[in-house]
Amino acid sequence: IFEEALDTYGLPLELKYLPIIESALNPSAVSRAGASGLWQFMLNTGKIYGLESNSLVDERRDPVRATQAACRYLKDLFAIYNDWSLAIAAYNCGPGNVNKAIARSGGKNFWEIYDYLPRETRGYVPAFIGASYAYAYHRQHGIELTEAPIPLATDTIRIDRLMHLGQIASTIDIPIETLRQLNPQYKLDIIPATTKPYTLVLPQRNITQYIANEPAIFAKDSAYLKEYINPANIDKKRQERSGTVYVVKKGDTLGAIARRYRVTTAQLMRWNGIKNAHKLRLGQRIRIEGR
């Protein structure tokens, strides 16, 4: 996804390492400042670059749409500075802060304005260089690839009616958690295709199965959408699915919750004051920081 978009916009392919620094490649990551998604767009910047954000959809979390928006933003920043180290710094802290650092230092590249940048940005470009090195030379350091946590062979279906991901998971052989991982932009599991079409990403192996069972999937809309289309339930559902607070359900384990939000069990225990990872109670609220 990253390489195709960067190539389309004529940008250096090495920029694919930026989301590693921004979000640790977690499309549902949310920063303390409110930036969201793989590329950590702030709400207003996302809207400037065409990313929809509302109660049901946050396209900052859409891997494809957000990557295309990030490419346009990076291209605009490079047009300002004609220097990739400055463009990358501006991606992190905004062009206003970079312009101030240039004015105060008189410098013309990242290292010359280094001391005048925000602390986080001073570490940002070196972190990008570090990620580039680690990716290129991981084998020399004994770091090997692990199995991908999501299906890598996927395809896209065009959806032009209101649909709940549960309609799909309950009809064909796809766990709802897989659907969520492949479609993280749908905050409450709803594809709100009432006035315009939206996309649904599925494992390639399930495309034919989905098409064959589409009438049965559509037939379940009233059962799955009844509680969600009631405005009184929107806030409750958003809180449960946002990642900020998770409500423990039957069969949940702390390890499974940690894997869902791509954090560690130790982090969940620390954030929630949990001393015994094996003792969860139904209805317990688990806080996930930075998500």
Side-chain angles (χ1 to χ4, degrees):
I1 291 172
F2 299 159
E3 290 181 349
E4 284 183 4
L6 291 165
D7 181 61
T8 297
Y9 285 91
L11 299 176
L13 295 186
E14 289 80 6
L15 292 172
K16 67 184 178 182
Y17 305 122
L18 275 182
I20 298 173
I21 309 305
E22 288 288 344
S23 64
L25 297 181
N26 179 1
S28 299
V30 180
S31 75
R32 298 188 197 285
S36 184
L38 287 169
W39 294 87
Q40 289 291 281
F41 272 101
M42 295 295 289
L43 185 65
N44 288 338
T45 308
K47 288 182 177 179
I48 289 171
Y49 285 91
L51 299 178
E52 178 182 357
S53 295
N54 55 47
S55 297
L56 297 177
V57 178
D58 189 347
E59 289 186 335
R60 295 176 296 170
R61 300 181 180 186
D62 183 322
V64 174
R65 296 271 296 157
T67 298
Q68 293 169 346
C71 287
R72 294 196 297 274
Y73 187 27
L74 286 162
K75 192 159 189 170
D76 288 346
L77 291 172
F78 184 73
I80 295 172
Y81 301 108
N82 200 35
D83 179 288
W84 276 115
S85 67
L86 293 179
I88 292 170
Y91 188 89
N92 176 252
C93 67
N97 283 315
V98 171
N99 292 343
K100 289 177 186 176
I102 291 172
R104 290 171 181 167
S105 67
K108 296 182 179 179
N109 61 50
F110 174 78
W111 303 108
E112 290 175 350
I113 70 170
Y114 179 90
D115 291 331
Y116 297 85
L117 289 168
R119 179 180 298 178
E120 179 187 337
T121 308
R122 292 199 296 266
Y124 187 77
V125 172
F128 170 75
I129 295 170
S132 305
Y133 174 86
Y135 191 95
Y137 298 103
H138 61 92
R139 286 192 175 87
Q140 283 89 323
H141 296 275
I143 302 171
E144 296 298 331
L145 302 178
T146 57
E147 184 178 352
I150 58 174
L152 294 182
T154 62
D155 211 336
T156 303
I157 294 284
R158 179 186 170 101
I159 303 296
D160 56 8
R161 61 183 290 168
L162 193 67
M163 183 184 293
H164 190 285
L165 297 182
Q167 295 172 239
I168 305 166
S170 65
T171 307
I172 63 177
D173 185 27
I174 308 178
I176 194 165
E177 191 55 42
T178 299
L179 291 173
R180 288 170 176 164
Q181 290 175 323
L182 294 176
N183 301 274
Q185 66 271 34
Y186 299 124
K187 297 160 75 172
L188 301 182
D189 296 341
I190 295 175
I191 305 174
T194 53
T195 59
K196 67 176 184 178
Y198 285 85
T199 58
L200 170 70
V201 177
L202 296 174
Q204 202 170 67
R205 63 178 179 270
N206 296 110
I207 291 293
T208 302
Q209 189 183 17
Y210 173 89
I211 294 172
N213 288 275
E214 197 169 51
I217 292 170
F218 289 162
K220 295 182 177 182
D221 56 359
S222 59
Y224 276 89
L225 293 167
K226 183 177 180 181
E227 63 174 316
Y228 282 85
I229 60 177
N230 181 352
N233 291 327
I234 291 293
D235 285 339
K236 179 181 176 183
K237 295 296 180 182
R238 186 189 301 114
Q239 187 179 50
E240 290 179 1
R241 285 277 291 115
S242 69
T244 301
V245 175
Y246 178 83
V247 180
V248 174
K249 300 176 178 62
K250 185 176 180 180
D252 278 338
T253 65
L254 204 61
I257 296 170
R259 287 192 295 275
R260 171 177 295 183
Y261 292 101
R262 298 190 182 183
V263 297
T264 66
T265 301
Q267 285 176 313
L268 290 182
M269 294 176 70
R270 184 172 70 253
W271 293 335
N272 294 274
I274 297 173
K275 296 182 178 179
N276 188 335
H278 302 290
K279 289 187 177 180
L280 292 180
R281 64 181 185 279
L282 288 178
Q284 182 176 351
R285 301 167 74 81
I286 302 296
R287 184 164 56 92
I288 299 96
E289 292 189 3
R291 296 292 187 274

